[in-house]
Amino acid sequence: MEANSIKQKRTGIVLFSEYKRGEGISKALEIGRENILFEVRSSKLKGRGGAGFPTSTKWMLTAASKADEKFIICNADEGEPGTFKDRVLLMEYPELVFDGMVIGGFTIGAKVGIVYLRGEYEYMLSFLEDYLEKMRKDNLLGKNIVGKNFDFDIEIRLGAGAYVCGEETALIESLEGHRGESRNRPPYPVNRGFNGCPTSVNNVETLASVPHILIKGGDWYAKVGTDKSAGSKLFSISGDCKKPGVYELPWGTKISEMLKLVDAPSAKAVQVGGASGICVPESQFDRTFAYEDIATGGSIMIFGKNRDMLKVLKNFMEFFVEESCGQCTPCRIGNVKLLEGVEMIEKGEFTFDYINKLKDLGKSMQIASKCGLGQSSPNPFISILDNFKDEILNKIEAK
Amino acid sequence: MEDKKKSRAPVSQQSFKVEKPTDLNTIGGTVTVELNEKKVSVPFGTTILEACRDNQIHIPTLCHHDDLCVAGVCRVCVVEVEGMRTLQAACAFPITSPIKVKTSTSDVRKARRHVIDLMLSEHFGECYSCIRNNNCELQSLAEEYGVDGYTFGHVTKPTYEKDLSSYSVIRDMSKCVLCKRCVRTCIDLQEVGVLEAIDRGDKTHIGTFLEKPLADVICINCGQCINRCPTGALHANDPSDEIWAAIEDPKKHVVIQTAPSPRAAIGECFGLEPGHSMTYQLNSALKRIGFNGVFDTNFTADLTIFEEGTELIIRLFKALVQKDTSVALPQFTSCSPGWVKYIEHFYPEYINNLSTAKSPQQMFGAILKTFYAQQIGIDPKDIVSVAVMPCSAKKFECNRPEMNSSGYQDVDFGLTTRELAKMIKEAGIYLPEMPKQHFDTPFGDASGAGLIFGATGGVMEAAIRSVVEFVTGLKVEDVFANANVIPVRGFEGVKYYEIPIAVVGPVPDILKHLVPDWNWLKGATLKIAVAHGTANAKKVMDDIKSGGKFSECHFIEFMACPGGCIGGGGQPIPTSLEIRKARAKAIYEEDESLEIRKAHDNPYVTMIYEKFFTEGPCGHLSHKLLHTHYTPRGKYIS
């Protein structure tokens, strides 16, 4: 595998900066749990999967949970349409991800870390396994890691291709061999997760940020980005632009700045956060990527002037109809109804009254669905119909 | 054994059961919450739903069922919890901090209505053409939320083909709302695990292993899923049209036997509170419907005590006196056809432990087409034998190929309590106002021992009432006050009891040809156990397999359904622990009101051994007609 062929070109403030394998682990084992938690807390690192839960809190809760066995799980399901940053991290910066896992495992008191790898990433498996083997040889995994009294190992499990398994409780169900379905919360995985044990589920990027934080300090990290959104973020940028790819940008970057960077002068819309995200029209391109403005897991799709936004919406809704796990009513049937609504508009056979009813339904889905999937699936429906109403209506009238 | 079993349902279908504090006065024992701005104090770990119920706040539910683990999937019970971004499922949310809950804000009402509208959009059929009309939870919800149209459309064609393969349970998945109660009933309550959700998204449906028809998988026909289905997606295979046709056919002599559990529950179908026994009103209703003979299944329950009890004595004698190591002990009861199929599938290596005695239903069937046919001088081919049972598995049982020892199918139709209620209504009869009438000759009214077969522990109690008197020569009343064997009663999942035999009496005439005396039992301790619900049966079986204390038992009563027959899959819907307790109470009260309460005091049983089964219990003829054999099925599915 030519893992490092592109690496030379990447530069970035945190993740794409220099790091020596094992450095973070040694530091972590040297400074101890409390200091790790302190650094991570002062870094203000939040979960990079999209939900933005403070990482130090998650680790603290898992560490505080009383149990004989604990787990740290690296969520590498990367299923959100339009995101491919974890793939880059895993293939080009595995040292960051795995060192982060070891540090996390040490902090929460786990002996086993599990990478839940997206089924479609099976091709990475042998590379990653080889990498772990090397770590074992170098005493970065296994017994008495770097000579300190700490045992930890990592195993990799493959997902079976369900989008919902990116949701942490559904991921755990899947790991346990059940259907990928989200669980009721509470209990939260930090108290009762994999096999009933306290479990911290962290995104690949979150874990990859940790070694840098330990080496350079939480305060250093917190200086990057904005006050409420500390540090940097990886963006998977695709669509109508000249330079698509994975970019590391500080939080607080404006959409317009991002568009300039990737050379997309004719963008009329940017879908932020993948299928479950929101669609931002040109008039709002001065908005920023930040937890306090537009929070995102990093999937960015750029739509140029000639794109049909109704088709874009239809594509997203078809995705949700298929990917709903089917357990809760609002998500299972609601998405079907929203898709039907899109098809009605497509044919010009609709009433505004009914479409408004569907938007209302979407709002109920956002608050009444069991997990994040159904809670976010109406986002594109609502945001695209609101922001591109005139365009869609003009098109239908022209028919 | 009292440990809370580890659920086999996926955690996604379980709620977080917070251990409730035993002493509510300890610090943190209770939490003060605000329910609709009213402050109340609830035990730590109470769910929002429970807290609301205790405070007269009605929360609609659909996927929630008191007997089952919590799924939290229908989202009908959502409520607002202050500070939380999304609505929370009241059934699945344990209260562990002083939260503020609002149960009917506009967001909540709108979300609930949306959920109901969505379910209705995919729920095929119209209420008036549904078996669950007026007894459907979806219908009630629609009424409660003022649904007067299909906001999001309505399917006009069935989405799935009906599965008519099973003798017992019919699945009409076009009416399924995917509440998963059946899935949880099967895997968690009963630990059978035939049903599971298949596919995802809008293609999600409840299916079986490899989507096989229900008749071809390891379904035990207990019908517990039917009792818990909120809609008409699951129902029993109804033979009432064929029964009507037989009644109207002048050439046919149609007889019916009624089991005790339907009689204790059928009143519920006529609007009575659970717990009213309708035994004698039912007799006159059945006569008016046109049955030529109405008999009491308890007669053969009494007979079962003789046959099964004798079999136990023979097994014990062989094992203890003749040191025959091939004898299978403990002996298991075999009256519950759901249990029988369960053991055939799950523990086939233990089928020799099953008593070979047929169930009371099948014994009666065999007698009706032999002895009874002779008595009244009718060709058995013209007899149509119906059994009203609390049970869906009885439909399968009467169709077992081996159940034709009379030369004909011994029992032609198994009819559930619900189906009989429907026939009675169709005949224009309001059951509670019918006059009381006794059972027909030549089998008459049976003993209270047969009657209590309906509740868990009943078979064991009936057996104890006879065995104690047979062996010790004492009156059972001298051992158990008022002949009530309290230790085997009640709804505890598994009961264990020991009866020391201090004295022995003379061997009664009817058993003299089998054992010379009882001296070999003197000083022995009879060890017995009772389990109801196959999940509890599984515990006992696993214990036996690992050589635990239940492997030392002599006799174990197993019932497939929670609560025994009174909680059977053919009983009126809904079901709950309270309802099952009320039905059991009705049965025990009726037992106490009877003069004859021991199987061996039933004069008609004595009569049939004198007149027909002249070789006595476990003799040749009784072996032919009253005993059967079993099939080791395993889990192999072709």
Side-chain angles (χ1 to χ4, degrees), chain B residues 227-522:
Chain B
N227 287 6
R228 286 167 186 82
C229 179
T231 71
L234 294 167
H235 59 89
N237 200 342
D238 182 359
S240 54
D241 283 345
E242 287 154 281
I243 296 170
W244 281 121
I247 290 171
E248 279 147 21
D249 183 343
K251 290 200 285 291
K252 297 289 179 196
H253 182 85
V254 188
V255 293
I256 188 165
Q257 49 167 313
T258 73
S261 294
R263 304 178 329 215
I266 197 166
E268 294 163 35
C269 299
F270 294 88
L272 299 188
E273 286 292 308
H276 291 273
S277 198
M278 292 275 117
T279 306
Y280 302 102
Q281 289 92 331
L282 195 58
N283 288 347
S284 51
L286 293 170
K287 294 298 265 191
R288 193 185 287 181
I289 283 178
F291 286 99
N292 301 96
V294 179
F295 306 119
D296 189 350
T297 306
N298 298 348
F299 164 70
T300 37
D302 287 341
L303 205 57
T304 300
I305 292 301
F306 272 83
E307 294 295 331
E308 201 163 318
T310 304
E311 186 187 347
L312 178 64
I313 288 164
I314 294 172
R315 285 194 198 211
L316 289 176
F317 188 70
K318 277 188 187 162
L320 300 177
V321 180
Q322 299 172 341
K323 307 289 175 201
D324 180 348
T325 50
S326 70
V327 176
L329 281 171
Q331 178 175 306
F332 302 155
T333 60
S334 60
C335 357
S336 165
W339 152 246
V340 168
K341 192 147 184 271
Y342 179 81
I343 193 172
E344 285 177 338
H345 281 305
F346 289 81
Y347 299 93
E349 66 274 29
Y350 283 93
I351 58 169
N352 288 334
N353 293 62
L354 279 174
S355 163
T356 59
K358 286 181 182 173
S359 69
Q361 163 181 293
Q362 292 306 129
M363 284 195 185
F364 221 138
I367 291 173
L368 286 169
K369 291 195 179 177
T370 52
F371 172 74
Y372 175 73
Q374 288 167 22
Q375 292 278 308
I376 59 164
I378 288 182
D379 189 335
K381 80 169 171 22
D382 292 326
I383 294 181
V384 175
S385 171
V386 180
V388 57
M389 292 287 149
C391 186
S392 52
K394 289 283 176 193
K395 294 170 187 287
F396 173 82
E397 186 187 30
C398 75
N399 281 292
R400 278 178 177 258
E402 63 271 23
M403 293 296 185
N404 57 1
S405 48
S406 62
Y408 301 89
Q409 183 171 329
D410 293 338
V411 173
D412 295 287
F413 302 107
L415 191 68
T416 65
T417 314
R418 296 186 296 265
E419 290 152 1
L420 179 63
K422 194 192 70 183
M423 287 181 76
I424 293 172
K425 285 179 188 172
E426 229 177 318
I429 296 168
Y430 179 63
L431 184 64
E433 63 187 16
M434 289 302 285
K436 293 183 174 184
Q437 192 174 329
H438 281 281
F439 289 98
D440 285 331
T441 49
F443 307 111
D445 294 357
S447 82
L451 182 74
I452 57 173
F453 265 50
T456 167
V459 178
M460 190 55 76
E461 178 166 352
I464 290 172
R465 286 182 191 172
S466 288
V467 168
V468 164
E469 299 206 348
F470 280 166
V471 174
T472 65
L474 302 169
K475 280 274 159 207
V476 72
E477 288 81 352
D478 300 332
V479 187
F480 298 97
N482 206 15
N484 292 335
V485 189
I486 303 296
V488 297
R489 292 189 186 182
F491 286 78
E492 202 185 319
V494 180
K495 288 162 279 189
Y496 175 83
Y497 189 56
E498 293 182 357
I499 306 175
I501 303 170
V503 290
V504 292
V507 177
D509 292 345
I510 199 161
L511 300 174
K512 271 201 175 123
H513 62 294
L514 296 170
V515 285
D517 56 57
W518 293 127
N519 291 334
W520 53 283
L521 279 176
K522 197 171 176 181

Side-chain angles (χ1 to χ4, degrees), chain A residues 311-342:
Chain A
K311 270 194 187 152
V312 170
L313 173 57
K314 190 179 173 189
N315 185 292
F316 287 151
M317 292 323 298
E318 282 170 345
F319 174 78
F320 287 123
V321 166
E322 194 176 310
E323 290 295 343
S324 162
C325 80
Q327 67 166 328
C328 82
T329 319
C331 178
R332 180 183 69 245
I333 315 178
N335 283 314
V336 174
K337 297 299 158 191
L338 299 189
L339 175 61
E340 280 171 12
V342 175

Side-chain angles (χ1 to χ4, degrees), chain A residues 80-101:
Chain A
E80 190 63 51
T83 174
F84 40 86
K85 62 176 179 76
D86 294 345
R87 185 178 72 191
V88 168
L89 283 175
L90 286 165
M91 290 302 286
E92 299 173 27
Y93 301 87
E95 67 277 12
L96 286 178
V97 181
F98 293 136
D99 284 10
M101 273 184 91

Side-chain angles (χ1 to χ4, degrees), chain A residues 52-176:
Chain A
F53 191 79
T55 306
S56 61
T57 312
K58 193 179 257 188
W59 283 4
M60 208 125 58
L61 289 169
T62 322
S65 239
K66 277 184 192 157
D68 298 338
E69 237 183 324
K70 294 178 187 181
F71 295 95
I72 185 159
I73 292 173
C74 171
N75 183 349
D77 195 47
E78 191 158 55
E80 190 63 51
T83 174
F84 40 86
K85 62 176 179 76
D86 294 345
R87 185 178 72 191
V88 168
L89 283 175
L90 286 165
M91 290 302 286
E92 299 173 27
Y93 301 87
E95 67 277 12
L96 286 178
V97 181
F98 293 136
D99 284 10
M101 273 184 91
V102 176
I103 297 166
F106 172 68
T107 312
I108 65 167
K111 290 206 166 21
V112 177
I114 302 169
V115 178
Y116 187 86
L117 189 66
R118 179 183 165 87
E120 290 85 340
Y121 288 171
E122 196 183 347
Y123 69 90
M124 297 183 190
L125 197 58
S126 61
F127 166 74
L128 295 174
E129 295 282 15
D130 287 350
Y131 192 87
L132 290 176
E133 202 45 52
K134 265 186 251 159
M135 282 179 77
R136 281 182 202 110
K137 271 193 195 129
D138 299 344
N139 194 217
L140 294 170
L141 282 180
K143 303 263 178 213
N144 288 319
I145 291 176
V146 293
K148 310 271 171 165
N149 190 21
F150 173 55
D151 304 344
F152 185 81
D153 212 332
I154 294 175
E155 51 182 285
I156 302 175
R157 306 261 198 101
L158 278 175
Y163 170 70
V164 72
C165 290
E167 197 278 339
E168 58 176 1
T169 60
L171 183 153
I172 292 170
E173 279 290 289
S174 165
L175 272 185
E176 288 181 11

